[in-house]
Amino acid sequence: MQMIRLAIRNATGNSFRGWVVFFCAALMAGFVISSTLVIRGANTSLQLALERLGADIIVIPEGHEQRLESALLMGIPVHCWMPDTIKDQVAAVPGVVATSPQLYLSTLRGATCCSVPEMFLIAYEPETDFTLTPWLEKNLDGGLEVGEAVGGSLVYVPRDEGVLLVYGYALDLAGSLDPTGTGLDQSMFFTFDTAFEIARASVTEAVKVMDIPPRTISSVMVKVSTDANVEQVAAEIDAAIPGVTPLETNKLFKGQREQLLSLLNSVVALLGIIWLLAMALIAVVFSLVVNERRRHIGVMRALGARRTTVLKSLILEAVLLALAGGVTGIAVAILAIYLFRTLIVGLMGTPFLIPAPLGLAALGLGALALALAGVVVAALIPAVRISLQDPAISMRE
Amino acid sequence: MISLNRVSKIYPVSKEVVVPAVRDVSLHVERGEFVVITGRSGSGKTTLLNLVAGLTRPTSGQVLLDNIEVWKLPDKEQSLLRNQKIGFVFQFASLLPTLTAVENVMLPKMFGGEQNQERVYERATQLLEQVGLADKFKSFPRQLSGGQQQRVVIARALMNEPELLLADEPTSDLDEATEHEIMELFRGIHTETGVTALLVTHSIDLASYGTRSIQMAEGEIVSP
Ligand SMILES: Nc1ncnc2c1ncn2[C@@H]1O[C@H](COP(=O)(O)OP(=O)(O)OP(=O)(O)O)[C@@H](O)[C@H]1O
Ligand SMILES: [Mg+2]
């Protein structure tokens, strides 16, 4: 006969009360893990997207700010054009150390000449690029050839077609970028020359021509000198060049971030309420359990169980229920987040990145430990009270 | 073995009203005696047993068990002493409902910190056989009759070979025939092991089973 066996029997003995504690623990742990995953994941996503951009300022035609954010966050293609002379004008602004133009393109929807519909495509100029090139040099030993592309983590070559078709042009997927959780995961990057090749091929191979207006670009990526003030440089670009908007990347996704912050606040408040209620319920249930078993606890003491033994056996019982409930709650929460990911992203308006298995396990363990602590604290008061009571009193009717 | 010197136990019910459950009782029991305590309901029999076992604090007076004031020991030593020296049979259904008969009998060894499970199991089954329950090892308390349950409780009380057996109305819910069977069992245990026994009963007929009988009324020992 061991203590753990007694605790297991007692935990499973009264099914209804056991289930209440189990359910409370599941709720406590599940809520903590799901809100952490979503909010932390969203924050990480935004952060990674910003890092991926790798520029201090993005200059785009006026009025396309919102759509650029959607393109970066959700992968909804944006189309905007401005004269390529803007690039030189931006480069002339004091404090600017590097500029590189980009073209924003997209695949066609519902056309067999494109493997993936409505994919956001970004063409960069290899000679000036400073955003993608460092990654390419590190991971692919050099830049992309004409006809090659790198994709976000969710871009893959359709198995039944064997090639990745863009306007009827077969692209060679040379590499995959790490996931960010954002729309960038479903975007592709290639060079200007590749873009022009695709445009040329589209005349004969695609149902619709890919149109790149001559001598135009979609955006200019800007790097600011380390001793210059980004905000000031942006203001000067704004003043010097009419018809464009300089977007400071560290101010991007401001709406999303504010929304995230208010979401965090309400989630914390909700969590507080749920935890308080759950702990109160557990305390009540344990008081009932302890009261019902008062006599038997008195008997245990008479048979030589120490106060601490009684206390330990009750806490062990709470821990067992909390463990079972916590693990279940966490598993259900993670599963639900995987299954309803798109729904949650739609509701929040912000994508979120689910951490890798190891990180996920660490978060899960953290949530489990929290729930365990909560349950033990709730069960502690009734358990301590009964263990301190005179055995003779405990044994009375 | 047991020495009570002018012991009282007074329960405060409200600010003004107090219940003197045991009043100025002096009692000496020698090793090997089998004392039967009788008395009406509420006369203080259970309280007296609790005082002897150190399960409740005397309001005044001194309770000695082998010259030790049990109540004054720290919890750890108190528990150890109860575990090793005293066997209890309670007035109410005292088997843990979630444990089988044999597991209930094994309980005192668990509280005593015994590690050798096999030996404990073996002794528990021997005791159950001894009280006539060889076929009920794996039964849960709810599957046993009142008399059978009480036999399990007796087996449990004997698990640690106690020097003192405290039995509080062990036959209260049983029919007359079973009552005598259980009392015979106690008598047998007493003669076999020489354990000191204090047995409470409401029926004066059963007083003859002991080597001495005393009667309580209103918290006091009235005879002899
Ligand atoms: N914890 C308590 N608080 C208040 N009064 C108590 C308490 N314990 C016992 N009493 C009172 O003390 C008196 C003696 O109780 P006790 O249980 O010792 O009687 P008893 O002889 O065992 O009775 P019974 O035969 O019914 O078991 C009773 O009047 C009882 O109500
Ligand atoms: Mg009584």
Side-chain angles (χ1 to χ4, degrees):
Chain A
M1 223 9 242
Q2 279 133 1
M3 191 105 120
I4 182 90
R5 243 166 84 198
L6 180 61
I8 290 174
R9 296 284 181 81
N10 283 340
T12 52
N14 184 324
S15 52
F16 178 69
R17 283 173 201 167
W19 280 115
V20 172
V21 177
F22 174 92
F23 181 74
C24 284
L27 202 70
M28 288 160 88
F31 248 93
V32 166
I33 188 88
S34 51
S35 45
T36 309
L37 277 180
V38 170
I39 292 181
R40 226 185 72 121
N43 200 36
T44 317
S45 254
L46 295 179
Q47 213 60 45
L48 282 174
L50 290 183
E51 278 169 26
R52 178 71 48 85
L53 290 174
D56 298 317
I57 298 172
I58 305 175
V59 179
I60 53 164
E62 214 163 44
H64 287 83
E65 301 83 353
Q66 288 294 311
R67 266 177 265 167
L68 181 71
E69 284 198 352
S70 323
L72 298 175
L73 275 184
M74 301 303 210
I76 302 160
V78 54
H79 294 280
C80 55
W81 301 108
M82 59 190 187
D84 64 357
T85 50
I86 301 272
K87 185 200 145 194
D88 299 327
Q89 285 175 270
V90 173
V93 172
V96 173
V97 289
T99 56
S100 179
Q102 289 191 338
L103 301 175
Y104 295 150
L105 306 162
S106 70
T107 58
L108 291 169
R109 185 176 25 190
T112 48
C113 59
C114 292
S115 302
V116 189
E118 292 235 277
M119 181 194 258
F120 184 41
L121 306 170
I122 300 169
Y124 66 96
E125 190 181 60
E127 298 78 32
T128 56
D129 178 69
F130 54 87
T131 61
L132 197 62
T133 301
W135 185 90
L136 291 174
E137 273 165 6
K138 203 172 131 209
N139 295 280
L140 296 180
D141 308 315
L144 294 177
E145 303 289 326
V146 174
E148 283 183 338
V150 289
S153 60
L154 299 177
V155 177
Y156 56 92
V157 180
R159 203 179 298 162
D160 50 340
E161 294 176 30
V163 285
L164 198 56
L165 284 179
V166 176
Y167 286 83
Y169 184 91
L171 271 174
D172 181 11
L173 197 60
S176 268
L177 298 160
D178 288 334
T180 64
T182 67
L184 290 174
D185 293 349
Q186 300 157 45
S187 312
M188 257 198 312
F189 298 82
F190 42 73
T191 62
F192 270 27
D193 290 339
T194 306
F196 295 134
E197 281 292 306
I198 296 170
R200 243 193 305 284
S202 72
V203 178
T204 53
E205 302 298 321
V207 294
K208 202 175 153 218
V209 174
M210 184 166 90
D211 189 32
I212 305 174
R215 305 190 60 74
T216 59
I217 52 177
S218 299
S219 71
V220 178
M221 308 300 271
V222 179
K223 199 182 205 136
V224 170
S225 121
T226 41
D227 46 88
N229 180 333
V230 176
E231 203 176 338
Q232 211 173 318
V233 173
E236 278 177 43
I237 293 173
D238 200 24
I241 313 164
V244 301
T245 305
L247 288 174
E248 293 165 56
T249 47
N250 60 11
K251 286 187 188 159
L252 268 177
F253 317 138
K254 210 167 159 212
Q256 277 81 1
R257 279 196 261 182
E258 272 163 14
Q259 198 189 335
L260 217 56
L261 202 67
S262 74
L263 185 68
L264 182 68
N265 285 336
S266 22
V267 163
V268 165
L270 191 68
L271 264 182
I273 294 169
I274 287 175
W275 269 60
L276 272 182
L277 287 179
M279 282 176 71
L281 196 57
I282 292 169
V284 167
V285 165
F286 255 84
S287 297
L288 289 175
V289 166
V290 158
N291 204 43
E292 190 182 82
R293 282 201 223 135
R294 214 175 65 243
R295 283 196 142 179
H296 291 128
I297 289 169
V299 168
M300 282 165 67
R301 299 267 284 120
L303 297 181
R306 291 161 56 179
R307 290 187 205 290
T308 48
T309 309
V310 167
L311 187 64
K312 268 190 233 160
S313 80
L314 286 170
I315 295 300
L316 191 61
E317 191 178 332
V319 164
L320 288 174
L321 288 169
L323 268 179
V327 167
T328 309
I330 288 167
V332 168
I334 290 177
L335 193 71
I337 282 186
Y338 263 111
L339 290 180
F340 300 113
R341 190 165 179 272
T342 31
L343 192 75
I344 301 168
V345 170
L347 280 175
M348 287 209 315
T350 311
F352 61 90
L353 187 67
I354 297 174
L358 210 64
L360 200 61
L363 279 180
L365 278 182
L368 189 63
L370 264 180
L372 264 181
V375 172
V376 168
V377 166
L380 206 56
I381 299 163
V384 166
R385 212 179 41 210
I386 192 72
S387 68
L388 288 180
Q389 196 174 56
D390 254 23
I393 306 286
S394 308
M395 283 191 285
R396 271 181 63 83
E397 284 277 354
Chain B
M1 175 97 206
I2 303 168
S3 189
L4 270 63
N5 301 317
R6 310 201 58 178
V7 173
S8 294
K9 178 71 193 183
I10 297 164
Y11 287 109
V13 177
S14 65
K15 260 196 183 135
E16 291 91 40
V17 186
V18 295
V19 177
V22 167
R23 278 196 269 202
D24 205 24
V25 164
S26 293
L27 174 69
H28 301 275
V29 177
E30 297 299 325
R31 198 167 278 275
E33 275 195 280
F34 185 167
V35 181
V36 177
I37 304 169
T38 56
R40 293 187 51 184
S41 183
S43 58
K45 307 178 298 292
T46 298
T47 308
L48 188 75
L49 287 197
N50 286 339
L51 284 165
V52 168
L55 291 173
T56 192
R57 176 207 299 274
T59 311
S60 66
Q62 200 183 30
V63 181
L64 296 173
L65 211 65
D66 279 338
N67 289 319
I68 301 168
E69 271 201 271
V70 181
W71 182 257
K72 293 204 171 154
L73 293 175
D75 181 59
K76 187 178 169 180
E77 285 160 46
Q78 228 184 76
S79 304
L80 189 71
L81 187 143
R82 274 199 285 270
N83 183 254
Q84 301 293 315
K85 287 200 173 176
I86 308 178
F88 284 92
V89 178
F90 302 90
Q91 195 174 357
F92 52 90
S94 67
L95 293 176
L96 301 197
T98 52
L99 300 182
T100 61
V102 69
E103 286 167 343
N104 261 290
V105 177
M106 289 163 80
L107 265 186
K109 285 285 184 207
M110 169 180 138
F111 296 140
E114 171 69 49
Q115 297 298 326
N116 190 331
Q117 295 295 312
E118 260 165 65
R119 205 165 52 201
V120 174
Y121 184 84
E122 207 169 298
R123 169 147 178 83
T125 52
Q126 266 170 16
L127 282 168
L128 281 173
E129 275 164 24
Q130 202 179 320
V131 297
L133 290 175
D135 53 342
K136 302 287 183 193
F137 296 170
K138 298 263 154 65
S139 302
F140 282 94
R142 61 171 184 281
Q143 299 165 325
L144 297 172
S145 72
Q148 289 168 335
Q149 285 186 34
Q150 213 55 322
R151 285 167 192 272
V152 179
V153 174
I154 293 165
R156 183 176 69 184
L158 299 176
M159 189 65 187
N160 279 348
E161 297 170 84
E163 294 167 31
L164 176 62
L165 192 56
L166 299 177
D168 194 356
E169 304 204 30
T171 60
S172 56
D173 293 330
L174 307 177
D175 60 80
E176 214 169 309
T178 320
E179 190 169 49
H180 282 285
E181 272 174 39
I182 297 279
M183 288 308 287
E184 280 300 341
L185 186 59
F186 272 109
R187 182 144 65 188
I189 291 163
H190 176 252
T191 28
E192 245 172 69
T193 63
V195 67
T196 314
L198 242 62
L199 188 145
V200 166
T201 172
H202 57 275
S203 122
I204 300 184
D205 301 350
L206 301 179
S208 58
Y209 279 96
T211 57
R212 167 152 75 118
S213 91
I214 56 176
Q215 201 180 346
M216 286 190 76
E218 290 175 21
E220 292 177 333
I221 292 177
V222 287
S223 86

